[in-house]
């Protein structure tokens, strides 16, 4: 028999709505033709992986040496951990070693390992809303409670509201920068203020919560925007990420965890998260792609086509009369549900479906009254969607 809790979760709304939209999109495309359905439901990058990745795959595929497909230490191949340590050192402006890194099965597995490692039953994880819908499951998987704190105007962090939720039960605050679903990049001042709030909590309660920075979109930024290196401001900071979005490898399931070497107990943290990776059944990240990444993690990728697509879609929405937050990174546009729908994002996404436009309702992301359009789709699809958007808004 299926467990009641899981039965409830699979029938509940939220992230499953996005998957449902994506699957409905496949059916609609069969019915109406690929070119006539405008599927903005899923964050599946449509750039091909860069040449450095493809070359590494081809070269490594020729390797037939004994043991090359075997197990390795659970935390990953030493050379891959060292390569990621170099990457994070460059991003954070602070020296890490391979011992501060674990290679994981994507960012999703990285987050689950971190939560398994740090959460006691009923511990709290604070998250600024809107947020990546799966966070709810990742935290509840490990018996924690997700505490949603709505963001301020312009999706800036509401530091005072976050402060009011901090306590000795707070195991972590989880930020996603650039953010899915808004494309927001948090300002340096906000990260600094957040770090101060976490330090105050530590001084008051003896518990310095982890600051978990989920950064799979770090490289995909526009107009010279920068993602603040949190390690410089807060000792108990952790980066979780993957190569799903920046190197277009979501299906290969390769990611990592990196702990600030200045944190309270970095070696214990790595031991605990490595144990979690093992007992959650991943054992280790895929061997082949660990080797690919060791060779190609610093591939140069031109993200300007995402910027072009963002600009084209923003112009279309302007024309149709749909309001949105102007994204500074990632490849999502978070849009306001028109007034006529009284904030009912689900109903508006259903309405758009009649015009063969697929978007994701904001409620699942903790952003009621909004909906998300993932513009990592072909430029042609974006351009062709204009008529449908204008028609849908005119016929409201
Ligand atoms: C914010 C965020 N975190 C984590 C993930 C999971 O990434 P991965 O596919 O590397 O597990 C995603 C995927 O969409 C995401 O948007």
């Amino acid at each position: 028999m299926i467990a009641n809790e899981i039965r409830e979760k699979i029938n509940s709304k939220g992230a499953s709505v996005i998957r449902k939209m994506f699957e409905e999109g496949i059916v609609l495309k069969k019915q109406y033709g690929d070119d006539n359905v405008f599927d903005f439901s899923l964050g599946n990058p449509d750039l091909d992986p860069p040449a450095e990745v493809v070359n590494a795959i081809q070269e490594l595929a020729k390797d037939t040496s004994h043991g090359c497909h075997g197990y390795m230490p659970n935390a990953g191949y030493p050379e891959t951990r060292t390569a990621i340590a170099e990457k994070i050192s460059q991003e954070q402006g602070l020296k890490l070693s391979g011992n501060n890194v674990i290679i994981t099965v994507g960012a999703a597995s990285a987050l689950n390992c971190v939560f398994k490692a740090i959460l006691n039953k009923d511990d709290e994880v604070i998250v600024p809303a809107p947020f990546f819908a799966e966070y709810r499951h990742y935290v509840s998987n490990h018996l924690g409670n997700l505490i949603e704190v709505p963001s301020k105007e312009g999706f800036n962090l509401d530091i005072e509201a976050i402060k009011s939720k901090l306590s000795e039960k707070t195991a972590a605050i989880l930020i996603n920068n650039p953010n899915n679903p808004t494309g927001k990049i948090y300002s340096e001042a906000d990260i600094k203020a957040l770090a101060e709030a976490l330090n105050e909590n530590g001084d008051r309660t003896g518990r310095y919560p982890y600051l978990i920075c989920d950064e799979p979109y770090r490289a995909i930024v526009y107009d010279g925007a920068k993602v603040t290196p949190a390690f410089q401001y807060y000792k108990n900071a952790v980066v979780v990420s993957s190569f799903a979005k920046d190197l277009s490898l979501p299906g290969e399931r390769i990611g990592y965890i990196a702990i600030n070497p200045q944190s309270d107990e970095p070696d214990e943290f790595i031991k605990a998260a490595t144990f979690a990776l093992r007992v959650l059944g991943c054992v280790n990240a895929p061997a082949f792609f660990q080797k690919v990444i060791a060779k190609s993690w610093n591939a140069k990728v031109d993200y300007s086509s995402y910027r072009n697509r963002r600009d084209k879609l923003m112009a279309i929405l302007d024309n149709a009369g749909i309001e949105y937050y102007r994204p500074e990174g990632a490849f999502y546009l978070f849009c306001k549900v028109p007034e006529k729908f009284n904030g009912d994002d689900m109903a508006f996404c259903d309405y758009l479906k009649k015009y063969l436009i697929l978007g994701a309702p904001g409620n699942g992301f903790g952003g009621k009254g909004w909906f998300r359009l993932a513009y990592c789709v072909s430029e042609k699809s974006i351009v062709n969607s204009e008529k449908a958007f204008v028609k849908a808004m005119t016929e409201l």
Side-chain angles (χ1 to χ4, degrees), residues 43 105-109 111 132 135 138 176 178 180 214 216-217 241-245 250 253-254 332:
V105 187
S109 129
L111 283 160
F132 179 48
Y135 289 167
Y138 300 166
N176 170 215
N180 172 10
D214 181 19
Y217 305 96
S241 191
S242 77
F243 296 97
K245 313 292 175 172
R253 313 307 305 135
I254 189 82
Y332 306 104

Side-chain angles (χ1 to χ4, degrees), residues 72-82 84 98-104 255-257 270-271 273-275 277-278 283-285 290:
M72 80 295 300
N74 296 121
Y77 285 120
E79 62 272 24
T80 311
R81 296 176 75 192
T82 304
I84 300 301
N99 292 334
N100 306 127
V101 171
I102 301 171
I103 313 301
T104 64
Y256 54 87
I257 302 168
I270 290 292
K271 263 193 231 161
T274 305
F275 171 81
L277 183 72
R278 191 184 101 209
V283 181
N284 56 250
Q290 288 200 45

Side-chain angles (χ1 to χ4, degrees), residues 192-239:
K192 238 174 155 167
L194 184 60
E196 275 166 24
L198 295 177
N199 276 324
E200 272 167 31
N201 186 67
D203 295 345
R204 197 178 64 245
T205 68
R207 189 168 193 179
Y208 293 87
Y210 284 99
L211 171 56
I212 305 171
C213 308
D214 181 19
E215 300 188 345
Y217 305 96
R218 171 180 263 275
I220 308 172
V221 294
Y222 310 115
D223 314 322
K226 287 217 165 59
V227 176
T228 299
F231 285 12
Q232 302 226 347
Y233 296 103
Y234 188 61
K235 63 176 182 173
N236 279 353
V238 181
V239 169

